[in-house]
C-alpha cells in the first residue's frame, strides 16, 4: 500500500479529490501543483498512515521508512538541495492536515533541517545571519514544545528574558547574536529537561515531527473539536513535508492569507491580510497588524497581479470561495494552501446565490451548499465578534450541551415564578434550573435563555426552548446549584440570583457577566435561495406550534400548516393573556382532583372557553392552512403540585381539604409514567376530557368559518396502540363534533387521525388505517419505544454511545437524527401497511426529527406528505426537502449511467 505522495515541479501523485487520503492541505497542494500554480515541492504522508498508526499500537507501517526516504531523495533532487546540508541546506515545514479543517487544533513545525552547520550555511547563502538564527530559534522553540512537549510558557519566558537583557522591546529589534544566544539557552534548557542534546540529525528531527503531527490527532483539544463539530468517520491527519519558503528574508518578502470573496459579507471582492517580512505564524498570532491586499498591491504590484490571477483560477477551478495562504520570498509568489473558505452565515447565502447567478454553479448546487447550521445561525443572536476573546475566556463558568443555538444575556434566576416576576418588572432573566418541568413553562417563556445542569438535547427544557427558538444550554453538569441559597457555583466562581449571565448556545458555554450580543439581519439572498428550494421540493412543511404567536412566526418561516398543536401546553400558560394563566392551571388541577365524571365536567367547563379562544387564535393565524390538534397527552401527575405548601394552596383555592389533594397526587404516582396512564389512554378513562377538547376545537372552527376564515382542523389522538381503541375514540370524536356542528347548523370538514408512536401501532398500521384518516409519526416516543431508550434519561449515557473515542455505537443521537435503520424501517412498514388499507392516507411526522435535515430527507424518500418542525426549524426542513429531491435526481442519473 502506498502511504506517501509526491508533488513538485509541475507534477503531483495525488489529486484534489483525494481529501480523505491526503487531507485538505495535501489535496490542495497536489491540485495546485497539477494546474500549474507556484507551489513549493514536497510530499504528503497519507491519513491512511495515521489510521494504521492508531490501529497498530502507535506503530508505523513497515514500508513507511523506505517510502519517506525515497520521497525525501526526490524532494532533494527537485529542489537541488539536501536536508541539513552544510553548504546549501534544504529546509522543510511539517504540517498536519485532515479532510476537514480543524483550525489550530493540530501541530506544525517550521524550518526543520536546521542544525549548527546548516544554520551557518543559511546565514552565508542569504547573507542574512539575523534571519538564519531567528529561523533556527523558531525551529528549536517549536520542536521543543510540539515534539517534546516542553511548556510553551517557559520557552516564551526565556525569549522575554533575552529581550530584557538586551534591552529591546520587539522581536524585530533582536540581532543575530541575540537569536544565537537564545538558541543556546533553549538547547541548555532542552538538555536539562530531557537529558539529551537537541537533535542535530535532520532525519531524526523529521521523524520526531512526523510523530508529533500524528500524535496531535488524538490530542485532547483535537478530539474535543471533532466532538463539538460532529466530525466523524475520518481516517486521521496527513503529514505534509514541504520545502520551506521564507517570507521573512527582508522587505521584498512577506506572507499572507486571502479569500477569493469577502468571508464576512460574501461580496465578490478580493479580501486578505499581508505582512511584510514575516513568517506564516506571525499572521495567525496577530502580534503585528497586517496590511490589506490593496496596500500590498501598491507595494508589490507584480506579485499582487499574479495573486489576483491565482484567485480567479482557483475560484473557477474549485467553483467555490477559497481561503488561501501564500508567501512571497524575495519577490516570488508561492501558494502554500487553498481550501474552501469558512464564511459567516449571511455570506454563505450570498455566495451561493451569486455564484448560481454568475453561472459558476447550477441552482441545485447552490441549494445543496446550505447546511442546516447555516440557517440556524442566521436567525439567532450571537456574541459580538468584536468582544475580546481573552475577556471571554476569563468569564467562562461552565460547558454544557448546546441544545438550542444563539446567545442570551440576562440575570440569573433560580425558579420559574421568580423569573416571571422579574420579567414583569422589565428584567431580562436567564432561568437556571437543575432540570425543568411543564410547571416551569411560564418562567421559561419569559426568560432570555434557559440553563439546566442535567438533561440532553431532548430533555423538556431543550424541546420547549427549541420550539420557541430560545437559547438553551442543558447538561451543564459542573454547575452546583443551591436553590435554598439561590446561587450556583462552578469553576471557582459564584453566581448569585440577579447576577448577570451570558449563554452561548452555539458552543454550549456559560459566561459570567453581560457580554454584548448582535442579531444578524436576514439577507436578501436567503429569500432568493429559499424560493428556489420551495420550487424544487415535493414534501410539505408544517410546524409544531401551540400558540397563535408561534403559528404566525412559523408562517413567516414558510410553514404550510400546523402538524402538531400540543393542547396541554395551554393548560399551564395563557400566552395571549398571561394574567389568566392561573385560572387555567386551577381548572385543570380541579379536574384532576375531582372524583366523579360530573365534578370533572364542571372543572373542564371552565377550561373550555380558554381552549376555544386558543384554537380560534391559531385558526385565524393559519388562515386556511391545515391545523392538526392533538388531544391531551402527558400523564396527569405533571399538572399537580408535589410539595405540601402548593398542595395546601390548591386545596384552598378549589375548596377541598388538603388530604383529598394529597391522596389524589399519590394515586397518580406511576413507576414508569412514560409507558403509563398517558396519551389517548386518558381519553379512554376520562372521556369528558376528549369531549371538552373536541367541543372547543369544533366550536372554534365554526366560529372562524362563520366569520369567513377557512379552517381545516385535524383532530389527532396520541399514543394509540390498537384499532379498537382508536375506534372508540374516533366514534366519541365524531359524536361530539357532530352534535356541535348540528347545533351550529353549518357544514364543517375535519379529519380524525392518530399519532404513530408505539411499535404495535406501526406493526398493525393496516388495521389502524381502517379508522384513522391520517397518520403522524411521533418519533420522539417512537424512538423511545422502539429502541427502549428513555427520552428523558438517555442524555446521561447517550453521549458515550455517540462519542467516537468511547463506544461510537451511533453516528448521532437517535432523538435528534432519526435512527433510519431501525425506527425508519418500522416507519416504512407502517406507511406501506397504512396505504394498503387507505391508499390516499395522509402521512406526516411531528417528532423533533421533522426539523432535522437527514431525517427530513428520509421522510421524503419514505413517501410522506409532510414533515412538521418547530417554527425556527421550518426553513431547515424546506431546504432539506429540496435537497432530497436533488440528491435523488443525481442518484437516478448515476444509476442509469451505470446500467448503460
Ligand atoms: C412525539 O412523541 O414524537 C411527539 C411529537 O409527541 P411528544 O413529544 O409531545 O410526546
Ligand atoms: Mg409523543
Amino acid at each position: 500500500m502506498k502511504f506517501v505522495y509526491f508533488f513538485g515541479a509541475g507534477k503531483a501523485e495525488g489529486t484534489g479529490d483525494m481529501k480523505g487520503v491526503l487531507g485538505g492541505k495535501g489535496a490542495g497542494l497536489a491540485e495546485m501543483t497539477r494546474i500549474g500554480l507556484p507551489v513549493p515541492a514536497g510530499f504528503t504522508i497519507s491519513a491512511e498512515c495515521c489510521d494504521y498508526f492508531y490501529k497498530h499500537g502507535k506503530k508505523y507501517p513497515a514500508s513507511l521508512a523506505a517510502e519517506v526516504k525515497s520521497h525525501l531523495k526526490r524532494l532533494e533532487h527537485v529542489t537541488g538541495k539536501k536536508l541539513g546540508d552544510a553548504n546549501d541546506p534544504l529546509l522543510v515545514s511539517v504540517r498536519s492536515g485532515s479532510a476537514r479543517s480543524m483550525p489550530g487544533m493540530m501541530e506544525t513545525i517550521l524550518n526543520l533541517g536546521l542544525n549548527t552547520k546548516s544554520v551557518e550555511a543559511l546565514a552565508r547563502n542569504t547573507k542574512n545571519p539575523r534571519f538564519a538564527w531567528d529561523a533556527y530559534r523558531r525551529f528549536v522553540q517549536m520542536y521543543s514544545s510540539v515534539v517534546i512537549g516542553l511548556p510553551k510558557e517557559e520557552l516564551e519566558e526565556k525569549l522575554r528574558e533575552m529581550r530584557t537583557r538586551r534591552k529591546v522591546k520587539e522581536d524585530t529589534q533582536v540581532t543575530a547574536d541575540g537569536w544565537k544566544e537564545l538558541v543556546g539557552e533553549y538547547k541548555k534548557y532542552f538538555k536539562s529537561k530531557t537529558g539529551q542534546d537537541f537533535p542535530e540529525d535532520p532525519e531524526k528531527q523529521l521523524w520526531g515531527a512526523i510523530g508529533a503531527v500524528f500524535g496531535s490527532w488524538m490530542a485532547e483539544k483535537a478530539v474535543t473539536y471533532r466532538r463539538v463539530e460532529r466530525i466523524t468517520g475520518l481516517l486521521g491527519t496527513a503529514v505534509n513535508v514541504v520545502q520551506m519558503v521564507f517570507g521573512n528574508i527582508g522587505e521584498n518578502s512577506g506572507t499572507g492569507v486571502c479569500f477569493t470573496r469577502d468571508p464576512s459579507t460574501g461580496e465578490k471582492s478580493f479580501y486578505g491580510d499581508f505582512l511584510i517580512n514575516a513568517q506564516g505564524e506571525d499572521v495567525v498570532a496577530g502580534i503585528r497588524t497586517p496590511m490589506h491586499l490593496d496596500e500590498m498591491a501598491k507595494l508589490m504590484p507584480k506579485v499582487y497581479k499574479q495573486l489576483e490571477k491565482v484567485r480567479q483560477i482557483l475560484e473557477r477551478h474549485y467553483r467555490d470561495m477559497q481561503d488561501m495562504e501564500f508567501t512571497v520570498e524575495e519577490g516570488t509568489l508561492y501558494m502554500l494552501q487553498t481550501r474552501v473558505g469558512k464564511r459567516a452565515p449571511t455570506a454563505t447565502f450570498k455566495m451561493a446565490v451569486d455564484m448560481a447567478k454568475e453561472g459558476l454553479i447550477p441552482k441545485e448546487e447552490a441549494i445543496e451548499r446550505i447546511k442546516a447550521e447555516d440557517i440556524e445561525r442566521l436567525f439567532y443572536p450571537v456574541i459580538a465578534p468584536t468582544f475580546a476573546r481573552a475577556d471571554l475566556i476569563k468569564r467562562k463558568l461552565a460547558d454544557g450541551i448546546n441544545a438550542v443555538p444563539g446567545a442570551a444575556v440576562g440575570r440569573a434566576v433560580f425558579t420559574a415564578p421568580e423569573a416571571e416576576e422579574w420579567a414583569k418588572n422589565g428584567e431580562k432573566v436567564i432561568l437556571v434550573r437543575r432540570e425543568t418541568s411543564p410547571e416551569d413553562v411560564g418562567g421559561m417563556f419569559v426568560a432570555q435563555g434557559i440553563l439546566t445542569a442535567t438533561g440532553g438535547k431532548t430533555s423538556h427544557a431543550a424541546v420547549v426552548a427549541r420550539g420557541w427558538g430560545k437559547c438553551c444550554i442543558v447538561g451543564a453538569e459542573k454547575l452546583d446549584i443551591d436553590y435554598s441559597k439561590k446561587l450556583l457555583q462552578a469553576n471557582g466562581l459564584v453566581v448569585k440570583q440577579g447576577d448577570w449571565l451570558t449563554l452561548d448556545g452555539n458552543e454550549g458555554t456559560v459566561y459570567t457577566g453581560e457580554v454584548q450580543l448582535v442579531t444578524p439581519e436576514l439577507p436578501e439572498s436567503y429569500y432568493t435561495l429559499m424560493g428556489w428550494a420551495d420550487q424544487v421540493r415535493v414534501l410539505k412543511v408544517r410546524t409544531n406550534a401551540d400558540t397563535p404567536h408561534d403559528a404566525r412566526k412559523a408562517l413567516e418561516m414558510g410553514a404550510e400548516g400546523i402538524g402538531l398543536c400540543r393542547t396541554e401546553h395551554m393548560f399551564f400558560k395563557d400566552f395571549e393573556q398571561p394574567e389568566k394563566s392561573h385560572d387555567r392551571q386551577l381548572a385543570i388541577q380541579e379536574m384532576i382532583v375531582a372524583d366523579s365524571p360530573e365534578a370533572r365536567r364542571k372543572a373542564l367547563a371552565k377550561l373550555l372557553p380558554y381552549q376555544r379562544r386558543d384554537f380560534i387564535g391559531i385558526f385565524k393565524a393559519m388562515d386556511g392552512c391545515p391545523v392538526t390538534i392533538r388531544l391531551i397527552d402527558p400523564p396527569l401527575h405533571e399538572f399537580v403540585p408535589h410539595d405540601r405548601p402548593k398542595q395546601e394552596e390548591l386545596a384552598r383555592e378549589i375548596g377541598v381539604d388538603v388530604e383529598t389533594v394529597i391522596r389524589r397526587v399519590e394515586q397518580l404516582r406511576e413507576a414508569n409514567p412514560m409507558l403509563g396512564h398517558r396519551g389517548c389512554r386518558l381519553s379512554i378513562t376520562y372521556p369528558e376530557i376528549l369531549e371538552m377538547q373536541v367541543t372547543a376545537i369544533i366550536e372554534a372552527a365554526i366560529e372562524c368559518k362563520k366569520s369567513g376564515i377557512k379552517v381545516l382542523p385535524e383532530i389527532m389522538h396520541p399514543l394509540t396502540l390498537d384499532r379498537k381503541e382508536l375506534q372508540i375514540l374516533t366514534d366519541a370524536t365524531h359524536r361530539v363534533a357532530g352534535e356541535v356542528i348540528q347545533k351550529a347548523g353549518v357544514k364543517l370538514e375535519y379529519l380524525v387521525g392518530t399519532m404513530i408512536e408505539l411499535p404495535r401501532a406501526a406493526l398493525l398500521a393496516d388495521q389502524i388505517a381502517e379508522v384513522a384518516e391520517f397518520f403522524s409519526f411521533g418519533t420522539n416516543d417512537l424512538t423511545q419505544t422502539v429502541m427502549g431508550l428513555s427520552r428523558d434519561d438517555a442524555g446521561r449515557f447517550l453521549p458515550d454511545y455517540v462519542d467516537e473515542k468511547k463506544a461510537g455505537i451511533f453516528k448521532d443521537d437517535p432523538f435528534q437524527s432519526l435512527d433510519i435503520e431501525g425506527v425508519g424501517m418500522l416507519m416504512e412498514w407502517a406507511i406501506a401497511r397504512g396505504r394498503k388499507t387507505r391508499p390516499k392516507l395522509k402521512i406526516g411526522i411531528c417528532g423533533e426529527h421533522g426539523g432535522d435535515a437527514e431525517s427530513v430527507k428520509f421522510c421524503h424518500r419514505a413517501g410522506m406528505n409532510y414533515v412538521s418542525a418547530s417554527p425556527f426549524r421550518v426553513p431547515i426542513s424546506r431546504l432539506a426537502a429540496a435537497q432530497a429531491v436533488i440528491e435523488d435526481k443525481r442518484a437516478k442519473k448515476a444509476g442509469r449511467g451505470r446500467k448503460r
Side-chain angles (χ1 to χ4, degrees):
M1 187 172 183
K2 182 176 173 62
F3 288 109
V4 188
Y5 294 78
F6 192 79
F7 55 89
K11 292 206 178 75
E13 290 177 326
T15 66
D17 303 333
M18 294 172 65
K19 260 169 109 176
V21 177
L22 301 178
K25 190 172 284 144
L29 287 165
E31 191 68 12
M32 286 196 293
T33 305
R34 275 171 179 270
I35 61 173
L37 297 182
V39 176
F43 55 85
T44 303
I45 307 173
S46 70
E48 285 168 328
C49 185
C50 185
D51 188 41
Y52 181 102
F53 180 75
Y54 283 107
K55 283 187 177 147
H56 293 81
K58 299 197 181 170
K59 284 206 175 62
Y60 297 126
S63 60
L64 187 69
E67 253 194 279
V68 168
K69 209 177 180 93
S70 74
H71 278 82
L72 185 59
K73 275 233 157 66
R74 196 167 162 191
L75 180 60
E76 289 176 338
H77 178 73
V78 165
T79 58
K81 293 169 190 266
K82 214 172 157 315
L83 196 67
D85 194 62
N87 293 313
D88 192 10
L90 165 70
L91 303 180
V92 293
S93 64
V94 180
R95 296 167 189 262
S96 58
S98 71
R100 290 275 304 272
S101 151
M102 296 168 55
M105 293 300 141
M106 290 183 296
E107 300 298 355
T108 292
I109 289 148
L110 304 176
N111 309 342
L112 189 140
L114 281 173
N115 55 25
T116 39
K117 285 188 187 131
S118 59
V119 68
E120 297 289 1
L122 185 67
R124 270 195 315 274
N125 299 346
T126 56
K127 298 189 185 62
N128 191 343
R130 186 197 172 277
F131 154 73
W133 283 99
D134 182 18
Y136 194 22
R137 74 88 195 175
R138 286 180 193 241
F139 169 60
V140 178
Q141 191 174 346
M142 273 190 222
Y143 194 92
S144 302
S145 66
V146 173
V147 179
I148 309 298
L150 300 183
K152 270 194 181 116
E153 205 23 64
E154 290 188 23
L155 293 157
E156 282 293 330
E157 185 55 35
K158 295 204 177 307
L159 170 60
R160 274 194 293 273
E161 284 167 9
M162 182 273 286
R163 278 200 308 247
T164 318
R165 268 197 313 273
R166 294 185 160 256
K167 300 193 176 57
V168 294
K169 273 205 185 120
E170 309 281 335
D171 283 0
T172 45
Q173 300 165 315
V174 180
T175 60
D177 281 348
W179 293 130
K180 201 168 178 174
E181 181 187 310
L182 188 61
V183 169
E185 291 273 322
Y186 279 168
K187 285 189 175 176
K188 243 196 283 162
Y189 175 67
F190 187 94
K191 180 132 196 200
S192 75
K193 288 285 177 184
T194 64
Q196 288 178 1
D197 287 327
F198 188 84
E200 281 281 298
D201 174 5
E203 285 204 29
K204 190 173 173 199
Q205 295 174 353
L206 180 61
W207 282 104
I210 292 170
V213 172
F214 280 148
S216 66
W217 176 250
M218 280 298 176
E220 193 68 33
K221 62 176 175 181
V223 172
T224 309
Y225 184 84
R226 290 199 291 278
R227 178 170 50 77
V228 171
E229 290 287 308
R230 293 167 85 186
I231 299 175
T232 54
L234 301 188
L235 291 169
T237 181
V239 183
N240 299 288
V241 180
V242 188
Q243 182 191 7
M244 279 300 302
V245 285
F246 292 98
N248 54 343
I249 294 190
E251 296 303 303
N252 198 19
S253 303
T255 188
V257 176
C258 57
F259 300 84
T260 56
R261 299 187 190 215
D262 189 327
S264 36
T265 63
E267 290 298 331
K268 198 180 178 183
S269 59
F270 198 15
Y271 178 93
D273 290 332
F274 183 68
L275 267 182
I276 293 266
N277 198 6
Q279 209 163 23
E281 41 165 3
D282 301 334
V283 182
V284 186
I287 306 164
R288 284 166 57 193
T289 311
M291 63 177 76
H292 289 295
L293 284 185
D294 35 5
E295 219 171 314
M296 178 211 172
K298 284 183 220 142
L299 289 172
M300 298 182 176
K302 238 175 90 193
V303 179
Y304 176 80
K305 229 167 136 184
Q306 200 187 351
L307 189 65
E308 164 69 35
K309 198 152 170 221
V310 170
R311 168 201 178 198
Q312 288 175 21
I313 293 172
L314 281 177
E315 194 174 273
R316 232 176 296 130
H317 186 75
Y318 284 101
R319 302 157 65 250
D320 203 351
M321 186 268 266
Q322 296 293 295
D323 160 357
M324 307 167 298
E325 283 179 20
F326 64 96
T327 282
V328 181
E329 186 184 78
E330 306 207 294
T332 307
L333 174 71
Y334 291 97
M335 299 309 299
L336 302 184
Q337 175 166 309
T338 189
R339 61 183 171 195
V340 171
K342 291 210 159 99
R343 54 205 79 179
T346 319
T348 307
F349 282 87
K350 176 150 179 60
M351 285 183 199
V353 168
D354 285 355
M355 285 180 191
K357 285 186 176 168
E358 288 161 23
L360 191 62
I361 54 172
K363 268 186 194 171
E364 281 84 358
E365 199 168 327
I367 294 171
E368 287 199 283
R369 289 232 173 129
I370 309 295
K371 290 194 249 18
E373 304 87 80
D374 297 326
I375 297 189
E376 279 186 343
R377 288 176 187 165
L378 208 55
F379 286 96
Y380 298 124
V382 291
I383 287 183
T386 48
F387 198 87
R389 292 287 118 183
D391 190 7
L392 210 53
I393 290 165
K394 267 189 251 147
R395 292 162 177 267
K396 184 166 163 177
L397 189 67
D399 279 316
I401 299 168
N402 49 347
V404 185
V409 175
R411 289 171 185 270
V413 173
F414 294 90
T415 68
E418 277 169 307
E420 289 193 80
E421 210 177 292
W422 285 52
K424 222 190 276 166
N425 296 331
E427 293 285 358
K428 287 184 168 177
V429 299
I430 300 283
L431 180 63
V432 186
R433 301 286 299 160
R434 287 200 197 103
E435 73 280 309
T436 64
S437 74
E439 284 185 52
D440 294 330
V441 287
M444 293 166 76
F445 188 69
V446 298
Q448 303 297 309
I450 297 152
L451 171 64
T452 69
T454 64
K457 282 195 178 176
T458 49
S459 62
H460 176 265
V463 172
V464 173
R466 194 170 298 126
W468 297 329
K470 195 180 292 277
C471 172
C472 175
I473 297 176
V474 296
E477 295 193 343
K478 294 256 160 67
L479 295 184
D480 184 0
I481 301 174
D482 187 335
Y483 285 138
S484 61
K485 292 199 183 116
K486 294 190 183 168
L487 58 81
L488 71 82
Q489 298 185 60
N491 201 18
L493 301 165
V494 178
V495 174
K496 293 197 233 57
Q497 179 135 309
D499 288 352
W500 286 90
L501 280 181
T502 299
L503 308 186
D504 181 349
N506 295 319
E507 301 291 332
T509 312
V510 189
Y511 299 101
T512 56
E514 211 178 344
V515 176
Q516 195 200 343
L517 307 184
V518 288
T519 317
E521 230 174 75
L522 281 187
E524 192 52 44
S525 49
Y526 162 79
Y527 296 101
T528 310
L529 195 123
M530 293 309 290
W532 292 348
D534 288 342
Q535 281 165 13
V536 172
R537 72 185 159 92
V538 196
L539 206 55
K540 295 266 180 215
V541 178
R542 297 195 190 183
T543 191
N544 292 358
D546 313 324
T547 66
H549 172 268
D550 289 356
R552 281 189 291 272
K553 185 84 224 157
L555 274 185
E556 267 172 42
M557 298 288 195
E560 296 160 300
I562 287 181
L564 174 64
C565 173
R566 291 175 166 108
T567 46
E568 68 273 4
H569 283 182
M570 303 160 180
F571 292 166
F572 258 99
K573 173 101 196 146
D574 194 319
F575 290 88
E576 306 283 289
Q577 297 176 26
E579 69 282 1
K580 299 269 170 66
S581 294
H582 187 64
D583 290 354
R584 293 181 177 226
Q585 287 167 24
L586 220 53
I588 184 75
Q589 287 170 334
E590 187 183 331
M591 185 283 287
I592 293 168
V593 173
D595 52 8
S596 70
E598 291 69 37
R600 271 194 295 276
R601 279 206 176 88
K602 205 173 122 230
L604 285 163
K606 295 182 189 166
L607 210 49
L608 186 127
Y610 291 121
Q611 291 245 289
R612 188 173 49 221
R613 168 155 63 76
D614 292 330
F615 298 140
I616 290 171
I618 288 173
F619 288 140
K620 272 189 184 159
M622 291 314 284
D623 196 19
C625 295
V627 175
T628 306
I629 298 170
R630 179 182 74 182
L631 303 192
I632 187 170
D633 181 44
L636 296 183
H637 79 86
E638 285 194 10
F639 302 104
V640 287
H642 290 84
D643 57 287
R644 177 89 191 198
K646 283 212 185 114
Q647 289 172 341
E648 281 171 1
E649 193 184 319
L650 173 63
R652 217 174 24 252
E653 290 195 88
I654 62 174
V656 297
D657 53 56
V658 69
E659 277 67 36
T660 310
V661 175
I662 294 170
R663 196 177 343 104
R664 188 67 186 126
V665 172
E666 196 48 45
Q667 277 168 357
L668 291 172
R669 192 188 299 280
E670 289 178 299
N672 196 347
M674 266 293 163
L675 297 179
H677 199 185
R678 59 167 288 212
C680 67
R681 296 161 203 177
L682 292 168
S683 294
I684 292 283
T685 32
Y686 306 117
E688 20 337 307
I689 302 179
L690 176 149
E691 285 164 17
M692 182 280 284
Q693 290 200 297
V694 172
T695 306
I697 296 167
I698 299 297
E699 283 182 354
I702 287 170
E703 190 172 323
C704 287
K705 202 166 177 204
K706 279 186 176 162
S707 54
I709 297 159
K710 202 173 149 210
V711 278
L712 291 170
E714 299 175 347
I715 299 171
M716 180 157 79
H717 296 283
L719 218 76
T720 313
L721 53 71
D722 184 78
R723 192 200 71 86
K724 188 170 175 194
E725 179 191 45
L726 187 63
Q727 188 71 65
I728 294 170
L729 298 166
T730 307
D731 288 348
T733 306
H734 284 311
R735 179 177 50 75
V736 175
E739 281 168 16
V740 179
I741 291 169
Q742 205 186 15
K743 206 162 111 199
V746 293
K747 227 176 138 259
L748 181 79
E749 306 254 339
Y750 65 95
L751 299 180
V752 183
T754 183
M755 293 186 75
I756 302 288
E757 300 183 276
L758 295 174
R760 191 176 191 276
L763 289 166
L764 302 179
D766 50 345
Q767 295 180 21
I768 305 268
E770 285 170 20
V771 186
E773 290 175 293
F774 64 88
F775 283 177
S776 177
F777 287 101
T779 43
N780 300 334
D781 275 311
L782 193 60
T783 299
Q784 165 166 266
T785 51
V786 170
M787 302 185 85
L789 292 171
S790 157
R791 60 192 272 194
D792 294 317
D793 305 314
R796 292 198 195 152
F797 57 87
L798 262 184
D800 289 359
Y801 269 65
V802 180
D803 191 337
E804 221 190 329
K805 232 182 152 187
K806 295 213 170 132
I809 294 166
F810 302 137
K811 209 170 120 260
D812 275 307
D813 177 341
F815 288 103
Q816 281 174 59
S817 197
L818 197 68
D819 164 41
I820 291 171
E821 229 185 338
V823 179
M825 182 196 274
L826 194 63
M827 289 165 75
E828 280 174 335
W829 167 276
I831 293 169
R833 285 281 173 134
R835 291 231 171 103
K836 209 165 154 214
T837 302
R838 199 186 280 263
K840 291 239 162 82
L841 185 70
K842 198 192 249 189
I843 300 178
I845 180 175
C846 63
E848 288 295 297
H849 306 90
D852 170 72
E854 285 312 307
S855 313
V856 170
K857 289 178 187 177
F858 164 79
C859 295
H860 164 79
R861 289 178 189 126
M864 288 191 200
N865 301 88
Y866 70 88
V867 296
S868 188
S870 46
F872 283 93
R873 287 197 168 190
V874 164
I876 295 175
S877 306
R878 285 161 65 197
L879 187 82
Q883 288 174 343
V885 173
I886 296 165
E887 284 167 19
D888 283 2
K889 215 164 100 186
R890 195 176 36 241
K892 214 166 147 193
K893 223 162 143 187
R896 260 210 305 274
R898 269 200 300 278
K899 261 184 229 144
R900 259 193 237 128

